[in-house]
Amino acid sequence: MPRDPLSLSARLCLLAWDPARPGAADAARVHHLVRAGALVELVRRGLLRDDDGIATPADLDSETGDPVLDGLLELVRESLPHGWRPWVALHARVTFDAVREQLVAEGCLRAEKKRVLGVFPSVEYALARRDTAQALDRRVREVLAGQVPAGEVPERDAAVAVLAAAAELDCAGDPGGAGEPGTVNEPGTVNEPGAARGSGGARGRGSATGAGARRRDRIAELAGRAAPAPALRGVLDEVCGAVSDGTAHTKAPTGG
């Protein structure tokens, strides 16, 4: 991925940004994805640790120098104990807003002040550095497609790819399936895309099953690369599961 100062959360926010529907990024599923990236980043830096399934600050003083991460760390310190899955959703909008402002400061997004009905002040956000977002998108596709051995993928790149797959972002679409993204419940556990619908018969189903198996294996390899330590792998499993569950809930059909 591009050699830039963007954090995991910032990269995930850009990957989820749809230039045609910029308001779609300001949705709960994206908030949860961005928060998951921040949690993984704090664990990777040793500032959050897993204590019997509870997200626990390593100490009461350390900071990262990143206002997004430091804000989340302070929130965890000041709150009642929670597990990793609840923290993916709890006040996730706060982390998303902070990341969005960070992307404005980096020049990746542009904030445009407007007035609703000509009276009420409002701010709309637009993608300012499309090339950066496109480079991130291409890199995630390459990593998930297996163009580079998992052991050679940088750990942060692997984490971004696994989280993007959990959220079913467009860049994580399952090649060889029906053009649909694989749904990651845990790293390495992917629901089969509905690839065998319609014509194609057993051959189509077999091809889709094979593609799904390869995708499961690849995500499992990347998860191991992103989280080489058992404690970090457990956290990655939990936050990916929460992101995947939230995405499935968002996409579930409503009764009518």
Side-chain angles (χ1 to χ4, degrees), residues 94-245:
V94 174
T95 300
F96 172 80
D97 286 347
V99 168
R100 187 171 59 183
E101 293 306 316
Q102 194 174 62
L103 287 170
V104 171
E106 292 285 347
C108 295
L109 296 179
R110 181 174 61 254
E112 301 173 344
K113 295 182 179 180
K114 301 195 174 191
R115 288 191 175 273
V116 178
L117 301 177
V119 177
F120 305 103
S122 176
V123 178
E124 294 183 0
Y125 296 86
L127 188 61
R129 282 173 52 187
R130 188 180 295 260
D131 57 335
T132 298
Q134 289 174 338
L136 289 168
D137 185 287
R138 285 194 301 271
R139 179 56 173 161
V140 169
R141 292 176 189 274
E142 292 170 358
V143 168
L144 287 172
Q147 296 184 16
V148 178
E152 298 178 11
V153 176
E155 291 179 11
R156 295 180 76 222
D157 289 14
V160 170
V162 170
L163 286 163
E168 298 186 19
L169 298 185
D170 288 346
C171 61
D174 189 357
E180 299 178 9
T183 304
V184 182
N185 294 318
E186 305 289 348
T189 305
V190 184
N191 293 336
E192 295 292 345
R197 287 196 290 263
S199 62
R203 179 178 299 178
R205 288 192 294 272
S207 175
T209 300
R214 289 192 295 274
R215 176 54 61 98
R216 283 194 295 272
D217 291 344
R218 179 61 175 176
I219 291 175
E221 292 173 350
L222 291 171
R225 177 61 175 165
L232 178 55
R233 178 60 186 270
V235 172
L236 185 61
D237 285 355
E238 286 293 298
V239 300
C240 280
V243 169
S244 182
D245 289 348

